[in-house]
Amino acid sequence: MALRAGIVGLPNVGKSTLFNAVSNSAKAQASNYRFCTIEPNIGLVDVPDERLKKLAELVHPNRIVPTQIEIVDIAGLVRGASKGEGLGNKFLGNIREVDAIIHVIRCFEDENILRDEGAIDPVSDKEIIDTELQLKDLESVEKKMTRTEKMAKTDPKAKVELEVLQRCKTHLDAGKSIRELAFSKEEFAAIADLFLLTIKPVLYVANVDEGSMHTGNAFSKKLEEAVKGERAQVIVMNNSIEAQIAEMEDPADQQLFMEEFGMQEPALNRLIRSAYRLLNLQTYFTAGVQEVRAWTIEEGWKAPQAASVIHTDFEKGFIKAEVIGYDDFITLGSEAACRDAGKLRIEGKEYLVKDGDVMHFRFNV
């Protein structure tokens, strides 16, 4: 169950440059003109996890398989997209299909890179996209309200739905995104079929100049202040530097390049880990001679659900799970040593899988 994150932003803010850096299976064309990315480019990127490497050093498997995120590079948005301006309809259709949004915002000055909106203003740029998504959501909410109003006069369930829709409409009319609202499970059911755009979690990327990549600048700080109420994250990075690092095939060259810029790791690693956590995802591992592998699950999943990501038959025929905590495995050095020390646990169907668990499932065929 790979997270599908869409990279969005106004034209020429560094979206395709970021995609080039982040993708290990596809490259988008990065050019200085609008709508360079017309069809969404899709790439896969490994989720960086040092735990996978450390497990492999102990197990010596034939292969190492990380979990991945699917990244979609979506066409640049312009003002009026909700009414079909530019590639608006295509943009809105593509963004509806992703699980999370990586919103790239320009936080650097460069007279050689075109900008339609005048002086650099990250908050204004953010609000342009917010407004277009909110207008599209408002259209969806109002359409359903029209259908629900008549039924609400006689149907108690429809009356509850109408109240939730009215709450959404009021919020959208105020220029706010639906993700800022809290819903009960029952309330969410009223809008689940709308697949609202502004309910998706957002990670903002402040694309800064080279000199500000460690500290941020006035533009990125202005953005951080503006999104405080959204419960959103902001990653400060220089997309061009990240793209150069990603283009280097030799890890030694990458390390020298990063040292030159005072970097411990690519900022992309922080971005990918943050995007992975954005949807409350976590990782468990399987570790054997054939492979050491990371598996993605949602927080709160029980053992049979976790087993299903390997194969659906594992969930259907689940008997029990052998579980070793990651720290115990690393400290003791092997499954056998963990078993001897009493650190291998047998867990049943109600076990809540923890991030980092090393697991082996027993099941009926």
Side-chain angles (χ1 to χ4, degrees):
M1 52 167 297
L3 164 66
R4 184 178 173 95
I7 301 178
V8 306
L10 294 174
N12 299 322
V13 297
K15 299 186 318 300
S16 294
T17 302
L18 177 62
F19 178 81
N20 289 347
V22 85
S23 172
N24 60 15
S25 68
K27 294 292 182 183
Q29 178 190 8
S31 301
N32 185 25
Y33 58 91
R34 294 168 64 179
F35 313 134
C36 166
T37 307
I38 298 177
E39 294 299 330
N41 294 285
I42 299 175
L44 290 172
V45 59
D46 297 341
V47 176
D49 195 326
E50 281 297 311
R51 297 174 299 180
L52 193 65
K53 179 181 177 182
K54 290 180 179 178
L55 286 170
E57 289 172 352
L58 295 174
V59 177
H60 305 293
N62 293 332
R63 62 175 184 164
I64 303 171
V65 185
T67 191
Q68 294 183 314
I69 291 179
E70 188 173 288
I71 301 292
V72 184
D73 181 22
I74 299 173
L77 186 69
V78 295
R79 196 187 300 274
S82 60
K83 303 300 182 185
E85 291 295 323
L87 296 171
N89 291 331
K90 186 178 291 290
F91 172 96
L92 295 166
N94 291 334
I95 198 174
R96 202 177 293 281
E97 297 174 1
V98 302
D99 302 304
I101 297 170
I102 299 174
H103 186 167
V104 182
I105 295 183
R106 179 171 173 173
C107 293
F108 64 89
E109 298 271 15
D110 189 334
E111 61 183 16
N112 296 314
I113 298 181
L114 301 176
R115 175 175 165 76
D116 292 339
E117 299 293 332
I120 304 299
D121 188 341
V123 176
S124 174
D125 287 1
K126 168 195 172 308
E127 289 174 348
I128 288 172
I129 285 191
D130 283 351
T131 298
E132 297 307 321
L133 300 185
Q134 288 161 7
L135 287 172
K136 201 65 180 179
D137 278 355
L138 186 59
E139 180 182 310
S140 299
V141 168
E142 289 178 338
K143 282 183 180 178
K144 186 167 184 180
M145 285 181 68
T146 301
R147 299 194 304 269
T148 308
E149 281 173 344
K150 292 181 180 179
M151 294 186 293
K153 295 176 181 178
T154 56
D155 184 348
K157 183 180 177 182
K159 183 177 180 181
V160 172
E161 285 192 354
L162 185 60
E163 289 172 353
V164 174
L165 290 167
Q166 183 60 59
R167 186 178 166 201
C168 290
K169 182 181 185 305
T170 300
H171 200 69
L172 291 165
D173 280 337
K176 297 179 180 180
S177 297
I178 299 300
R179 61 179 167 271
E180 298 174 34
L181 293 175
F183 297 103
S184 67
K185 186 176 180 180
E186 292 74 19
E187 289 173 332
F188 180 74
I191 57 171
D193 61 330
L194 298 180
F195 301 100
L196 298 176
L197 302 173
T198 66
I199 205 169
K200 298 177 186 294
V202 176
L203 175 65
Y204 293 99
V205 173
N207 186 16
V208 300
D209 57 280
E210 184 181 305
S212 304
M213 56 191 290
H214 294 301
T215 60
N217 57 24
F219 295 130
S220 65
K221 287 178 172 55
K222 188 176 179 182
L223 174 64
E224 289 171 347
E225 186 65 29
V227 304
K228 276 184 177 179
E230 293 187 23
R231 293 176 293 178
Q233 298 180 54
V234 178
I235 299 288
V236 175
M237 56 193 290
N238 179 284
N239 293 1
S240 179
I241 292 292
E242 297 301 318
Q244 292 179 63
I245 294 172
E247 288 172 359
M248 298 178 184
E249 297 182 2
D250 188 342
D253 289 340
Q254 287 184 333
Q255 187 59 41
L256 286 172
F257 186 84
M258 287 190 293
E259 287 176 1
E260 182 180 341
F261 286 94
M263 302 169 66
Q264 297 295 320
E265 64 173 352
L268 281 178
N269 287 6
R270 289 189 288 114
L271 171 67
I272 296 163
R273 288 194 293 264
S274 295
Y276 186 75
R277 292 192 298 267
L278 202 57
L279 288 181
N280 298 317
L281 301 178
Q282 63 183 29
T283 301
Y284 78 85
F285 303 99
T286 51
V289 174
Q290 289 302 314
E291 68 177 22
V292 169
R293 183 165 186 156
W295 301 90
T296 298
I297 62 172
E298 294 182 22
E299 290 180 12
W301 273 22
K302 295 179 180 179
Q305 289 175 288
S308 71
V309 301
I310 299 178
H311 198 288
T312 53
D313 287 346
F314 281 29
E315 181 177 18
K316 294 175 183 177
F318 180 90
I319 300 174
K320 55 188 173 182
E322 297 178 356
V323 184
I324 303 171
Y326 170 79
D327 290 338
D328 289 333
F329 199 109
I330 297 301
T331 300
L332 297 171
S334 70
E335 180 180 324
C338 290
R339 188 185 302 272
D340 292 342
K343 296 297 184 181
L344 187 152
R345 310 187 309 277
I346 303 299
E347 301 287 359
K349 292 183 178 180
E350 295 304 309
Y351 176 67
L352 290 174
V353 179
K354 297 179 177 61
D355 186 56
D357 277 349
V358 181
M359 307 186 73
H360 175 71
F361 298 102
R362 296 182 187 178
F363 65 100
N364 287 319
V365 178

